Amino acid sequence: MAGRGEPPEGTPENPSGGEDEYRSLVFDESFVRAARLQEFSARERMGEPARAVRSLPGRVSRRHRSRAGIALVVLIALAFATAVYMGFRNPYPAPVGRRAEPLHTTVVPLAPQGPVPAGTPESLLDDGPAAGFRTGASGINLPAVRRTKNFSDSQVTMGLTTVKDYLVASALDPDVLTGGVVRPVGRLLDPDQTVQFDRSVGSPAADGEHLATGWLVRFDPAKVELADPEIRVQGTFTYAEAGADTLEVVSDHTFTYTLRPAVSGPHRADAASLFTVRRVLRFLLDREDIRLHRLEVRSAYVQAGPQSCSADMAGVLRPLLAGERADTRGPAGTDPYATGVPTAALCGTLAVSPQPPAPPRGPDAAKSPPSRP
């Protein structure tokens, strides 16, 4: 019989039994534990196609999952903390916590020394003291704007524009002057002043704080109407900072109206008369007011005439019309022993100083430069 012979493919290259190419792999106990396999059951193999065996998770994979779970919890906590932080942190500057103060008003009637002059609206305006004034909103000119320490050019311009809009609404709007409308004025006010404004126009009182004529110019439509819608205006603006977050604007403007009696029949052409109102108003605007196109009216000093010294001007101005005279009664006395809000009776005399000549009109206007009023 043949004994143990050489393999048919020949003598191995290492006949002495040395290490083969797999001898360097060491299958220790940890490797074997990590490579545990479990055969799928017969029922599992009858289902969806799957491999015959599956790996069993070892202690290393469980440790990995626990670390991943901890990392996920940390990430969720960080996201929640970030959301809470961003919720409390406003990316925009917080508005200044300043509340608007009540408006304080002084209205001074100007009594004529004789009968009120009459005339046509054209003659009264073109030949009278307001001949050099501009008409309507064009007479309310903004000054040259320069930035302040804490307000930019654009912020100053926006603040002055808001003040101009207030002057137009409160002294030039025909619906406000004789129509009893107040919304165009009220919408420009700081919300803190709306209660005072509503009370002033709804239940006016001569207490220095609830005079409707401090907020706006208006007449009794049952007695007075505009003889000409063209209202002459002239005045100035000044502005300065009242604090790091507040801009103060002072307007000083004179408004000249042509009025006539409110009658149902036809009007005489020469039955008009002039009525002049000078308003010195002090406004405050913080950054929020400038951004939202609103303002706070801090004080109002008003001179208006011709009127009688005894006229009640809390709700409306009471002009003396063409041919009328002021009554001989002076202002009501002031009792220093009276309690309540003190009211000081003031009255002036209407005396118009000579005015510069009006600029020439018509073909000769180009021959000589207009004079400044």
Side-chain angles (χ1 to χ4, degrees), residues 171-226:
L172 297 178
D173 188 335
D175 293 333
V176 174
L177 295 174
T178 58
V181 177
V182 299
R183 175 60 182 167
V185 180
R187 66 181 179 84
L188 294 171
L189 294 175
D190 188 290
D192 292 338
Q193 289 191 317
T194 55
V195 173
Q196 183 191 12
F197 174 75
D198 292 341
R199 179 180 170 185
S200 298
V201 298
S203 302
D207 58 1
E209 291 189 358
H210 298 97
L211 284 84
T213 47
W215 301 96
L216 46 82
V217 176
R218 69 174 179 176
F219 308 103
D220 185 351
K223 297 181 179 181
V224 175
E225 66 180 30
L226 292 174

Side-chain angles (χ1 to χ4, degrees), residues 66-313:
S66 63
R67 290 177 179 175
I70 294 174
L72 180 61
V73 171
V74 172
L75 288 176
I76 293 174
L78 288 175
F80 180 76
T82 302
V84 172
Y85 173 75
M86 293 302 295
F88 283 105
R89 182 179 180 273
N90 188 348
Y92 300 100
V96 180
R98 184 186 64 84
R99 293 188 60 84
E101 297 184 9
L103 166 66
H104 296 280
T105 301
T106 301
V107 181
V108 179
L110 302 178
Q113 295 176 319
V116 177
T120 64
E122 294 78 10
S123 63
L124 292 172
L125 290 174
D126 295 342
D127 301 330
F133 291 9
R134 294 187 176 183
T135 302
S138 63
I140 305 177
N141 297 314
L142 300 183
V145 174
R146 292 184 179 179
R147 63 164 296 133
T148 64
K149 180 180 180 181
N150 296 291
F151 290 88
S152 65
D153 294 350
S154 61
Q155 288 176 318
V156 174
T157 301
M158 291 172 63
L160 291 172
T161 301
T162 302
V163 172
K164 177 178 178 177
D165 291 344
Y166 181 89
L167 295 178
V168 171
S170 63
L172 297 178
D173 188 335
D175 293 333
V176 174
L177 295 174
T178 58
V181 177
V182 299
R183 175 60 182 167
V185 180
R187 66 181 179 84
L188 294 171
L189 294 175
D190 188 290
D192 292 338
Q193 289 191 317
T194 55
V195 173
Q196 183 191 12
F197 174 75
D198 292 341
R199 179 180 170 185
S200 298
V201 298
S203 302
D207 58 1
E209 291 189 358
H210 298 97
L211 284 84
T213 47
W215 301 96
L216 46 82
V217 176
R218 69 174 179 176
F219 308 103
D220 185 351
K223 297 181 179 181
V224 175
E225 66 180 30
L226 292 174
D228 192 323
E230 291 191 355
I231 301 167
R232 300 294 175 89
V233 187
Q234 180 171 278
T236 60
F237 287 105
T238 58
Y239 65 88
E241 289 188 7
D245 296 305
T246 308
L247 187 68
E248 179 185 72
V249 179
V250 177
S251 66
D252 184 352
H253 289 78
T254 300
F255 302 83
T256 303
Y257 307 87
T258 53
L259 306 178
R260 63 189 178 191
V263 297
S264 57
H267 295 277
R268 290 179 47 187
D270 59 351
S273 60
L274 292 182
F275 188 79
T276 303
V277 179
R278 181 182 178 184
R279 307 173 77 200
V280 181
L281 306 178
R282 178 170 167 256
F283 304 91
L284 291 181
L285 302 93
D286 58 30
R287 298 182 189 279
E288 191 75 358
D289 292 332
I290 293 174
R291 185 178 69 85
L292 297 177
H293 194 65
R294 68 190 189 192
L295 46 76
E296 171 190 348
V297 191
R298 178 57 64 87
S299 64
Y301 179 81
V302 180
Q303 295 176 339
Q307 295 184 106
S308 293
C309 290
S310 60
D312 178 10
M313 300 177 295

